[in-house]
Amino acid sequence: MLDATIIGAGPAGCVAAILLARRGRRVALVEQQRFPRDKVCGECLSSLGIEVLERLALREAIALHRPTRLARTALVAPSGTAATIDLPRAMWGISRAALDTALLEVAKESGAQLVQPGRCESIDAETRTVAVRHLATNETITIESRAILLADGKAACGAARPAATSDLGIKAHFADVDDAPDTISLFGLRGHYVGLAAIEGLRWNVAMSVPAARVKRFGGDLNALFQQCVSENAGLAHRFRAARRITDWLASPLPRFPVARAGACLANVVTLGNAAAALEPIGGEGMGLAMRSAELAAEAVDAALTGDRPVDQETLRNAYDALWRRRRVAARAAAVLMSSPRIARVTVAVLRWNGSLALPALAPLGKL
């Protein structure tokens, strides 16, 4: 019997696998996709995530992939007028293909047993077994372990999750964008927003939160949708006047849900990352929160294994709630602000007059 089975090899799953394997735990890491793979994401690693890398002694290893240092954020009203704010702590622009692949290699080097490409078919929380289908051979195996960690981005605690949102996350990479590479730019539109940040390799990541109804009006033509977005914000149009898209558009549902009550979760299953909670992506905190939640989860699981007792789900959920709660509220408020042209215009004007007024908003977003 293994000590832990982790479903999902994104930042949360890999960090948990690294920590548990380094403590001598026998860990299986199950991942459905082949790496490297792209994924819908703002691709901004917050200072919270960078701190996790430092504690894992991995900051320099990830820095070898040459992430872009992001030191400022710009709020751009539809007129093109912008307010630029210095970030108290710098972030990194790095693709999920680069970050996830690098973390997965460390997890393997640390001793985690990788099942890839392998799809989790079912979890039996009572017997602590996971049925996994090898997608290369179509063979199904059963993995038994003392703990199961769910890090696949899908909420296991359905009772605590509200109805799915009607928004989609949409992203692609571009080249030849005319913007400051140290700046995360947020463009206000009517009913949604667009984020832009430089990543490694002189590329730029465009990530949008878009109502599904608007995507449907364009018949799913994401190129046409983006061109309409460009026409609605003069600042966006200026930055993309000579840009060219270099990857396919990706789209996926954009979940938003709070941390579940401990009693609502599956017994013997620990959720982490976006399987534990999901917030509005506008703050660029998603990957950092996933990695920090993995530290908390790994600590709770390791303590339970040492004491041969169940994981203290209530204490872990309280720690998650403290991690996510304020960020969720602040990020949602920021999204509403940037999705209203009138409010965005006023906000930008106020911040151009006195940028220090942004500090009360940066604190709950986790930027201070």
Side-chain angles (χ1 to χ4, degrees), residues 203-366:
R203 295 174 293 160
W204 299 78
N205 183 52
V206 171
M208 304 183 282
S209 166
V210 186
R214 188 171 201 197
V215 177
K216 187 176 181 180
R217 287 200 298 271
F218 285 88
D221 186 341
L222 300 182
N223 275 324
L225 169 65
F226 184 63
Q227 289 307 311
Q228 180 63 33
C229 293
V230 169
S231 73
E232 293 179 9
N233 188 296
L236 192 59
H238 174 79
R239 288 161 175 80
F240 279 82
R241 63 187 185 278
R244 52 192 175 86
R245 183 169 55 84
I246 56 177
T247 66
D248 292 337
W249 288 106
L250 299 178
S252 68
L254 186 62
R256 304 183 190 96
F257 57 94
V259 175
R261 298 184 305 276
C265 298
L266 293 174
N268 302 324
V269 177
V270 173
T271 58
L272 54 156
N274 272 5
L279 80 170
E280 186 76 42
I282 195 169
E285 289 287 318
M287 289 194 289
L289 286 167
M291 294 164 67
R292 176 59 185 143
S293 73
E295 285 188 309
L296 296 170
E299 186 67 36
V301 169
D302 186 62
L305 293 174
T306 299
D308 194 24
R309 61 177 186 269
V311 174
D312 186 346
Q313 293 271 20
E314 183 174 359
T315 298
L316 181 59
R317 296 290 150 181
N318 287 339
Y320 282 178
D321 197 40
L323 187 64
W324 261 286
R325 187 192 309 116
R326 287 202 308 162
R327 287 179 171 90
R328 282 192 68 251
V329 174
R332 188 58 190 149
V336 170
L337 180 154
M338 292 305 294
S339 299
S340 168
R342 182 176 61 84
I343 298 176
R345 181 176 65 251
V346 172
T347 301
V348 168
V350 170
L351 293 178
R352 283 171 64 88
W353 171 66
N354 187 349
S356 66
L357 294 175
L359 292 178
L362 293 176
L365 281 170

Side-chain angles (χ1 to χ4, degrees), residues 25 40 44 55 61 74 76 117 128 170 193 218 227 235 278 294 324 330 337 355:
R25 302 300 182 183
V40 174
C44 295
R55 287 191 287 272
V76 187
R128 305 186 190 189
I170 298 173
Y193 58 90
F218 285 88
Q227 289 307 311
W324 261 286
L337 180 154

Side-chain angles (χ1 to χ4, degrees), residues 37-38 43 67 93-101 171 173 199-200 203 287:
R37 59 96 172 87
D38 204 356
E43 299 189 325
I94 184 168
S95 68
R96 289 295 298 272
L99 179 64
D100 291 14
T101 300
K171 69 158 277 188
H173 291 166
I199 59 172
E200 77 279 4
R203 295 174 293 160
M287 289 194 289

Side-chain angles (χ1 to χ4, degrees), residues 20 27 37 130 149 231 259 262 331:
L20 289 171
V27 178
R37 59 96 172 87
V130 177
L149 289 78
S231 73
V259 175

Side-chain angles (χ1 to χ4, degrees), residues 2-6 13-14 16-30 107 110-115 143 145 149 305:
L2 297 176
D3 291 311
T5 301
I6 302 173
C14 283
I18 292 166
L19 286 167
L20 289 171
R22 285 180 176 179
R23 296 188 181 193
R25 302 300 182 183
R26 295 162 297 167
V27 178
L29 183 57
V30 180
S110 300
Q113 303 172 27
L114 179 63
V115 182
I143 303 174
S145 56
L149 289 78
L305 293 174

